[in-house]
PDB file of all heavy atoms in Angstrom:
ATOM      1  N   PHE B 151      -0.661  -1.450  -6.742  1.00  0.00           N
ATOM      2  CA  PHE B 151      -2.035  -1.417  -7.243  1.00  0.00           C
ATOM      3  C   PHE B 151      -2.979  -0.835  -6.186  1.00  0.00           C
ATOM      4  O   PHE B 151      -3.815   0.023  -6.480  1.00  0.00           O
ATOM      5  CB  PHE B 151      -2.474  -2.836  -7.632  1.00  0.00           C
ATOM      6  CG  PHE B 151      -3.793  -2.885  -8.330  1.00  0.00           C
ATOM      7  CD1 PHE B 151      -3.864  -2.761  -9.715  1.00  0.00           C
ATOM      8  CD2 PHE B 151      -4.974  -3.017  -7.621  1.00  0.00           C
ATOM      9  CE1 PHE B 151      -5.092  -2.785 -10.365  1.00  0.00           C
ATOM     10  CE2 PHE B 151      -6.201  -3.043  -8.260  1.00  0.00           C
ATOM     11  CZ  PHE B 151      -6.261  -2.929  -9.646  1.00  0.00           C
ATOM     12  N   ILE B 152      -2.797  -1.286  -4.949  1.00  0.00           N
ATOM     13  CA  ILE B 152      -3.645  -0.777  -3.862  1.00  0.00           C
ATOM     14  C   ILE B 152      -3.418   0.721  -3.663  1.00  0.00           C
ATOM     15  O   ILE B 152      -4.374   1.482  -3.475  1.00  0.00           O
ATOM     16  CB  ILE B 152      -3.373  -1.537  -2.541  1.00  0.00           C
ATOM     17  CG1 ILE B 152      -3.837  -2.991  -2.659  1.00  0.00           C
ATOM     18  CG2 ILE B 152      -4.089  -0.862  -1.360  1.00  0.00           C
ATOM     19  CD1 ILE B 152      -3.427  -3.868  -1.481  1.00  0.00           C
ATOM     20  N   LEU B 153      -2.154   1.163  -3.730  1.00  0.00           N
ATOM     21  CA  LEU B 153      -1.864   2.592  -3.541  1.00  0.00           C
ATOM     22  C   LEU B 153      -2.677   3.458  -4.498  1.00  0.00           C
ATOM     23  O   LEU B 153      -3.132   4.536  -4.148  1.00  0.00           O
ATOM     24  CB  LEU B 153      -0.369   2.871  -3.797  1.00  0.00           C
ATOM     25  CG  LEU B 153       0.598   2.882  -2.636  1.00  0.00           C
ATOM     26  CD1 LEU B 153       1.975   3.322  -3.119  1.00  0.00           C
ATOM     27  CD2 LEU B 153       0.124   3.779  -1.490  1.00  0.00           C
ATOM     28  N   GLY B 154      -2.876   2.934  -5.715  1.00  0.00           N
ATOM     29  CA  GLY B 154      -3.606   3.707  -6.715  1.00  0.00           C
ATOM     30  C   GLY B 154      -5.111   3.531  -6.660  1.00  0.00           C
ATOM     31  O   GLY B 154      -5.862   4.431  -7.050  1.00  0.00           O
ATOM     32  N   THR B 155      -5.575   2.361  -6.205  1.00  0.00           N
ATOM     33  CA  THR B 155      -6.998   2.044  -6.346  1.00  0.00           C
ATOM     34  C   THR B 155      -7.712   1.782  -5.020  1.00  0.00           C
ATOM     35  O   THR B 155      -8.938   1.834  -4.974  1.00  0.00           O
ATOM     36  CB  THR B 155      -7.186   0.771  -7.198  1.00  0.00           C
ATOM     37  OG1 THR B 155      -6.610  -0.339  -6.482  1.00  0.00           O
ATOM     38  CG2 THR B 155      -6.508   0.900  -8.555  1.00  0.00           C
ATOM     39  N   GLY B 156      -6.960   1.381  -3.998  1.00  0.00           N
ATOM     40  CA  GLY B 156      -7.598   0.995  -2.739  1.00  0.00           C
ATOM     41  C   GLY B 156      -8.267  -0.355  -2.797  1.00  0.00           C
ATOM     42  O   GLY B 156      -9.020  -0.723  -1.891  1.00  0.00           O
ATOM     43  N   LYS B 157      -7.991  -1.104  -3.866  1.00  0.00           N
ATOM     44  CA  LYS B 157      -8.652  -2.409  -4.011  1.00  0.00           C
ATOM     45  C   LYS B 157      -7.644  -3.505  -4.369  1.00  0.00           C
ATOM     46  O   LYS B 157      -6.555  -3.218  -4.879  1.00  0.00           O
ATOM     47  CB  LYS B 157      -9.687  -2.328  -5.138  1.00  0.00           C
ATOM     48  CG  LYS B 157     -10.883  -1.462  -4.779  1.00  0.00           C
ATOM     49  CD  LYS B 157     -12.070  -1.832  -5.638  1.00  0.00           C
ATOM     50  CE  LYS B 157     -13.373  -1.403  -5.010  1.00  0.00           C
ATOM     51  NZ  LYS B 157     -13.448   0.043  -4.764  1.00  0.00           N
ATOM     52  N   LEU B 158      -8.034  -4.736  -4.115  1.00  0.00           N
ATOM     53  CA  LEU B 158      -7.202  -5.863  -4.542  1.00  0.00           C
ATOM     54  C   LEU B 158      -8.096  -7.061  -4.850  1.00  0.00           C
ATOM     55  O   LEU B 158      -9.118  -7.273  -4.194  1.00  0.00           O
ATOM     56  CB  LEU B 158      -6.178  -6.235  -3.458  1.00  0.00           C
ATOM     57  CG  LEU B 158      -5.045  -7.155  -3.949  1.00  0.00           C
ATOM     58  CD1 LEU B 158      -4.199  -6.498  -5.041  1.00  0.00           C
ATOM     59  CD2 LEU B 158      -4.147  -7.599  -2.796  1.00  0.00           C
ATOM     60  N   LEU B 159      -7.680  -7.824  -5.860  1.00  0.00           N
ATOM     61  CA  LEU B 159      -8.387  -9.052  -6.233  1.00  0.00           C
ATOM     62  C   LEU B 159      -7.853 -10.188  -5.365  1.00  0.00           C
ATOM     63  O   LEU B 159      -6.651 -10.464  -5.361  1.00  0.00           O
ATOM     64  CB  LEU B 159      -8.119  -9.360  -7.711  1.00  0.00           C
ATOM     65  CG  LEU B 159      -8.775 -10.612  -8.302  1.00  0.00           C
ATOM     66  CD1 LEU B 159     -10.293 -10.527  -8.276  1.00  0.00           C
ATOM     67  CD2 LEU B 159      -8.298 -10.834  -9.733  1.00  0.00           C
ATOM     68  N   VAL B 160      -8.728 -10.807  -4.606  1.00  0.00           N
ATOM     69  CA  VAL B 160      -8.275 -11.913  -3.748  1.00  0.00           C
ATOM     70  C   VAL B 160      -9.169 -13.133  -3.921  1.00  0.00           C
ATOM     71  O   VAL B 160     -10.362 -13.022  -4.219  1.00  0.00           O
ATOM     72  CB  VAL B 160      -8.242 -11.547  -2.242  1.00  0.00           C
ATOM     73  CG1 VAL B 160      -7.296 -10.405  -1.969  1.00  0.00           C
ATOM     74  CG2 VAL B 160      -9.625 -11.244  -1.714  1.00  0.00           C
ATOM     75  N   LYS B 161      -8.540 -14.277  -3.695  1.00  0.00           N
ATOM     76  CA  LYS B 161      -9.310 -15.518  -3.658  1.00  0.00           C
ATOM     77  C   LYS B 161      -9.692 -15.769  -2.199  1.00  0.00           C
ATOM     78  O   LYS B 161      -8.838 -15.701  -1.312  1.00  0.00           O
ATOM     79  CB  LYS B 161      -8.451 -16.664  -4.200  1.00  0.00           C
ATOM     80  CG  LYS B 161      -9.217 -17.980  -4.278  1.00  0.00           C
ATOM     81  CD  LYS B 161      -8.589 -18.952  -5.249  1.00  0.00           C
ATOM     82  CE  LYS B 161      -7.419 -19.677  -4.616  1.00  0.00           C
ATOM     83  NZ  LYS B 161      -6.870 -20.705  -5.503  1.00  0.00           N
ATOM     84  N   VAL B 162     -10.952 -16.042  -1.970  1.00  0.00           N
ATOM     85  CA  VAL B 162     -11.414 -16.297  -0.596  1.00  0.00           C
ATOM     86  C   VAL B 162     -10.810 -17.627  -0.133  1.00  0.00           C
ATOM     87  O   VAL B 162     -10.999 -18.659  -0.781  1.00  0.00           O
ATOM     88  CB  VAL B 162     -12.958 -16.350  -0.529  1.00  0.00           C
ATOM     89  CG1 VAL B 162     -13.422 -16.668   0.894  1.00  0.00           C
ATOM     90  CG2 VAL B 162     -13.559 -15.040  -1.028  1.00  0.00           C
ATOM     91  N   PRO B 163     -10.051 -17.604   0.980  1.00  0.00           N
ATOM     92  CA  PRO B 163      -9.394 -18.839   1.422  1.00  0.00           C
ATOM     93  C   PRO B 163     -10.342 -19.764   2.181  1.00  0.00           C
ATOM     94  O   PRO B 163     -11.317 -19.306   2.779  1.00  0.00           O
ATOM     95  CB  PRO B 163      -8.293 -18.320   2.355  1.00  0.00           C
ATOM     96  CG  PRO B 163      -8.866 -17.059   2.927  1.00  0.00           C
ATOM     97  CD  PRO B 163      -9.724 -16.449   1.845  1.00  0.00           C
ATOM     98  N   GLU B 164     -10.044 -21.039   2.146  1.00  0.00           N
ATOM     99  CA  GLU B 164     -10.709 -21.979   3.048  1.00  0.00           C
ATOM    100  C   GLU B 164     -10.209 -21.689   4.456  1.00  0.00           C
ATOM    101  O   GLU B 164      -9.078 -21.238   4.634  1.00  0.00           O
ATOM    102  CB  GLU B 164     -10.302 -23.422   2.705  1.00  0.00           C
ATOM    103  CG  GLU B 164     -10.846 -23.946   1.397  1.00  0.00           C
ATOM    104  CD  GLU B 164     -10.511 -25.416   1.222  1.00  0.00           C
ATOM    105  OE1 GLU B 164      -9.317 -25.758   1.383  1.00  0.00           O
ATOM    106  OE2 GLU B 164     -11.424 -26.201   0.937  1.00  0.00           O
ATOM    107  N   THR B 165     -11.029 -21.980   5.438  1.00  0.00           N
ATOM    108  CA  THR B 165     -10.608 -21.771   6.824  1.00  0.00           C
ATOM    109  C   THR B 165     -10.230 -23.100   7.476  1.00  0.00           C
ATOM    110  O   THR B 165     -10.957 -24.090   7.342  1.00  0.00           O
ATOM    111  CB  THR B 165     -11.728 -21.077   7.629  1.00  0.00           C
ATOM    112  OG1 THR B 165     -11.890 -19.736   7.147  1.00  0.00           O
ATOM    113  CG2 THR B 165     -11.389 -21.030   9.122  1.00  0.00           C
ATOM    114  N   LEU B 166      -9.082 -23.106   8.144  1.00  0.00           N
ATOM    115  CA  LEU B 166      -8.698 -24.219   9.017  1.00  0.00           C
ATOM    116  C   LEU B 166      -8.879 -23.720  10.446  1.00  0.00           C
ATOM    117  O   LEU B 166      -8.389 -22.641  10.783  1.00  0.00           O
ATOM    118  CB  LEU B 166      -7.236 -24.619   8.807  1.00  0.00           C
ATOM    119  CG  LEU B 166      -6.763 -24.895   7.379  1.00  0.00           C
ATOM    120  CD1 LEU B 166      -5.301 -25.349   7.399  1.00  0.00           C
ATOM    121  CD2 LEU B 166      -7.639 -25.933   6.703  1.00  0.00           C
TER     122      LEU B 166
END
Side-chain angles (χ1 to χ4, degrees):
Chain B
F151 188 89
I152 293 172
L153 266 186
T155 65
K157 290 202 159 59
L158 195 62
L159 180 63
V160 299
K161 184 159 81 175
V162 178
E164 290 186 309
T165 292
L166 308 183

